[in-house]
Amino acid sequence: MYDLIIIGAGPAGLGASIYASRYKLNHVVIGGEIGGQVVEAWEIENYAGIESISGKDLMEKFVKQTKDLGGNIIVGNVNKILKEGEFFSIATEDGKKYEARAVLLALGMKARKMNIPGEDKFLGKGISYCATCDAMFFRGKDVAVIGGGDAAATAAIHLAEFANSVQLLYKDGTKTFEPAWDEQMAKMGKIASSTFTNISGIEGDEKVEGLEYELDGKKKELSVQGVFIEIGSTPGVVIAKELGVSTDEQGYIAVDQTQATNVDNVYAAGDATTGSNKFRQIITAVAEGAVAAGSVYKKIKLNTNKK
Amino acid sequence: MEMEFTDQNFEQEVLRSDVPVLVDFWAPWCGPCQMMGPIVEELAREMGDKAKVGKLNVDENGEISSKFGIMSIPAIKIFKDGEVVKEFVGVQSKENLKKELEALA
């Protein structure tokens, strides 16, 4: 029986484990995707104390620190959490079972799809959700990036190092990326940007050959061989809902200032929660994980912090 | 044990294999590919002799990667009798891949 099982191995889950180890909580981290969404980030320049690093390298540091402090990470997908009297029973897809007195949901986000014609058909044939993974395959080609957030801006910048041209497309009013990226894009030269009102579809035979979109009632066509979709993500909270955990109307897990959910001894941290003003940054995910571990310690070990 | 496929051994080890072969196309710069690493290792161990399971580094093996039109990684392809019978893009769970391989073995 563990004191705490942390579900999810991104910044929130690993951040929580680091604190749980130092609080001597007997715990384990279970995650299907070690490092979480961050591993796709090409360049991170806003994590305090580290001037510039790739997401993959940053998460390798998180994993090393977690393990060095005694945290155990199990690779697996949790598909069921059951409350059984005073404890929780957690089952993974490969049929293994774990028990704990408290659960921390650090479930993170799933990449959002456009749901436009051609998107599924051309997955892996010109459609990509990971610029750092696939930029290299588009050397000398023309590509489009769809999205107005930081992920879209960094994807465009990374792609410009390989591609012949990059067209950044975002829906009017959805440009939220840090202005620092604008400067960097201007410096690279190859990146053009435009708003759109609607993406009509992705064209091609075997592979992507073009993209059709509408702007102010006019149809436009881009000849591109790659389309990178970076329109953000939605919280991955199915197992939480089955446990009776409340979410807000957009599906984010509702937490209080101790990162507790409405279910006793179930905590949540990171991008999938309503915490930190939904800022959804690495630094806020880590902070929420730390707060949650501290709250579990107080509740389980010190028996204070009762709701 | 997990195998290492290359431009050189692909014909022999994959296309002419008597058992189904799962190939994980990956590259060192790809974060999600690192997530597949431990999954593929465990899958190789669990499948034993029933199937071959291994990785192919697209950065070092351009010939095979372009032959199979790899444009997005991690890409997983399952081969049987020299043909691609199943393909996936993005991180996959071990259970899902195991189910697919066992259905073919």
Side-chain angles (χ1 to χ4, degrees), chain A residues 15-29:
Chain A
S17 173
I18 288 168
Y19 275 74
S21 291
R22 298 184 56 88
Y23 280 122
K24 302 291 172 199
L25 288 169
N26 179 21
H27 75 285
V28 65
V29 180

Side-chain angles (χ1 to χ4, degrees), chain A:
Chain A
M1 168 87 64
Y2 292 102
D3 293 326
L4 171 66
I5 289 179
I6 299 166
I7 303 171
L14 298 177
S17 173
I18 288 168
Y19 275 74
S21 291
R22 298 184 56 88
Y23 280 122
K24 302 291 172 199
L25 288 169
N26 179 21
H27 75 285
V28 65
V29 180
I30 305 174
E33 301 182 2
I34 309 303
Q37 281 193 317
V38 179
V39 300
E40 295 182 9
W42 172 244
E43 204 171 21
I44 294 162
E45 296 188 335
N46 56 7
Y47 193 76
I50 299 177
E51 287 165 3
S52 178
I53 191 166
S54 73
K56 179 174 152 287
D57 289 350
L58 180 61
M59 293 324 291
E60 275 170 14
K61 284 176 182 284
F62 271 57
V63 168
K64 180 173 187 301
Q65 191 175 1
T66 300
K67 289 183 176 167
D68 286 352
L69 286 167
N72 184 14
I73 304 172
I74 293 171
V75 181
N77 290 306
V78 171
N79 59 3
K80 196 89 199 157
I81 311 171
L82 282 176
K83 173 108 184 159
E84 294 187 352
E86 286 298 288
F87 62 90
F88 296 91
S89 165
I90 286 153
T92 50
E93 274 180 1
D94 54 6
K96 297 202 178 89
K97 283 214 160 72
Y98 306 86
E99 288 177 351
R101 298 168 68 191
V103 176
L104 172 58
L105 305 168
L107 304 174
M109 310 284 279
K110 294 247 168 287
R112 185 180 282 157
K113 290 174 62 178
M114 293 285 298
N115 294 317
I116 50 173
E119 186 174 4
D120 288 338
K121 180 183 166 196
F122 294 118
L123 176 63
K125 297 180 168 74
I127 292 278
S128 170
Y129 300 90
C130 179
T132 52
C133 305
D134 302 336
M136 213 271 296
F137 302 111
F138 294 86
R139 204 182 286 278
K141 306 241 164 88
D142 300 303
V143 301
V145 177
I146 304 174
D150 288 324
T154 53
I157 290 164
H158 181 52
L159 279 160
E161 289 176 28
F162 299 88
N164 175 53
S165 77
V166 180
Q167 177 76 40
L168 180 62
L169 288 169
Y170 50 88
K171 215 170 197 161
D172 218 5
T174 63
K175 182 177 164 183
T176 57
F177 59 76
E178 295 172 359
W181 297 126
D182 268 323
E183 280 172 31
Q184 210 164 321
M185 277 193 256
K187 234 184 282 170
M188 304 212 53
K190 296 181 192 171
I191 307 170
S193 68
S194 163
T195 57
F196 67 86
T197 35
N198 185 40
I199 304 262
S200 340
I202 294 156
E203 311 292 317
D205 188 12
E206 289 279 293
K207 296 175 186 174
V208 170
E209 288 164 23
L211 174 75
E212 261 185 27
Y213 70 102
E214 282 167 34
L215 178 61
D216 304 327
K218 282 185 207 129
K219 266 202 187 305
K220 308 234 173 193
E221 230 182 287
L222 278 179
S223 167
V224 288
Q225 295 84 53
V227 177
F228 288 77
I229 298 171
E230 299 283 354
I231 53 166
S233 29
T234 50
V237 298
V238 178
I239 52 171
K241 284 192 175 159
E242 287 172 356
L243 188 60
V245 169
S246 300
T247 61
D248 71 0
E249 58 284 1
Q250 291 169 301
Y252 291 85
I253 297 173
V255 290
D256 66 14
Q257 283 193 320
T258 69
Q259 300 298 136
T261 70
N262 61 307
V263 179
D264 200 28
N265 289 336
V266 176
Y267 294 77
D271 285 3
T273 79
T274 57
S276 306
N277 201 25
K278 293 191 189 168
F279 198 28
R280 293 190 276 119
Q281 299 290 303
I282 301 166
I283 201 157
T284 53
V286 175
E288 288 184 26
V291 170
S295 301
V296 171
Y297 174 68
K298 284 180 190 155
K299 180 86 189 291
I300 301 279
K301 293 291 187 188
L302 303 181
N303 207 21
T304 59
N305 226 17
K306 279 225 166 96
K307 288 214 284 187

